[in-house]
Amino acid sequence: MSHVTELGYLGLSVSDLAAWREYAGEIIGMEIVDEGDSDRIYLRMDSWHHRIVLHEDGGDDLAYVGWRVPGPVELEQLAAKLEQAGVAVKVASDAEAAERRVLGFIRTEDPGGTPTEIFYGPEVNPRPFHPGRPMFGKFVTGDQGLGHVVLRIVDLQAGMDFYRLLGFRGTIEYKLFIPGPDVEGHLVFMNINKRNHSVAFGMGNTPKRINHLMIEYTELDDLGITHDAIRARDIDVTMQLGKHANDHALTFYCANPSGWLWEPGWGGGQSLDQVEYYKRDVFGHQNEVPGYGVDIPLT
Ligand code: MBD
Ligand code: FE
């Protein structure tokens, strides 16, 4: 049985590359890799050539998501499984794979309309990771992938069906009361490896494909330094520092230069073998600046 193994890479459409350089490099601590291309820079988080591509194309949204499989055999098996299930897939050319810095990939679309790529063979750079600002530790990646994404998928069942085809496990975990006591909001969290969840959805029919990207530090102090840097620049914080009930990560939510959210975090727990559900968080995560789609009562 073939399934994806991790959240491998993201492509982001951005309109203000200069602002993104400062945000991703000086505030968050990612390594900026500029190879002289007129239309893009790369963000490095570990030994990979990059984990994120910033495409300066006038958009301000998620452009594509890359899920990893171990190798070419698994890619072929997964492509056949998707086609059997009636999901259209397209095999990328060698030139397209080279552009993505992988050995091969297929393209499809998830039920929220997010361009979804399944790939194998990322380019790994033997040069050490060099953070964009001093860091005590590293980003948590490795076999947990680069973080988690919360995507726009309105039809929760269709979303679960699609990601289960890719091998994900998980279901509705949070039952929140949005916007009043009579209306339950449901959030779906799905895991594919040790990371508590790699994909989630249930935030409604938002204008953008993505609500947030969670990235995780190995050291608490790096989260603190990022928090200070966000506060010093008066960047919108939509939910304050707090601890989630499912992944036990200490996180906060801040706006990025494209007007959607990053969720820097520390201390994430592992995925569970058996399902649980929650109605609130452990502590914190109070709403601050509204309008980014996570002003929901997690506490
Ligand atoms: C998360 O990572 C999250 O973003 C929300 C809204 C709830 C629980 C865990
Ligand atoms: Fe999250």
Side-chain angles (χ1 to χ4, degrees), residues 148 150 189 197 212 214 244 253 263:
H148 74 239
V150 177
F189 293 83
H197 54 282
H212 69 263
M214 189 266 198
H244 284 307
Y253 296 73
E263 181 191 11

Side-chain angles (χ1 to χ4, degrees), residues 207-245:
K208 296 187 194 292
R209 291 172 176 145
I210 187 165
N211 173 269
H212 69 263
L213 164 68
M214 189 266 198
I215 48 113
E216 187 178 344
Y217 298 103
T218 59
E219 304 304 316
L220 173 59
D221 291 351
D222 284 323
L223 178 65
I225 288 173
T226 295
H227 188 259
D228 276 357
I230 292 282
R231 290 306 195 178
R233 289 167 171 83
D234 277 328
I235 292 170
D236 284 356
V237 169
T238 66
M239 287 208 295
Q240 298 170 353
L241 280 165
K243 192 168 182 183
H244 284 307

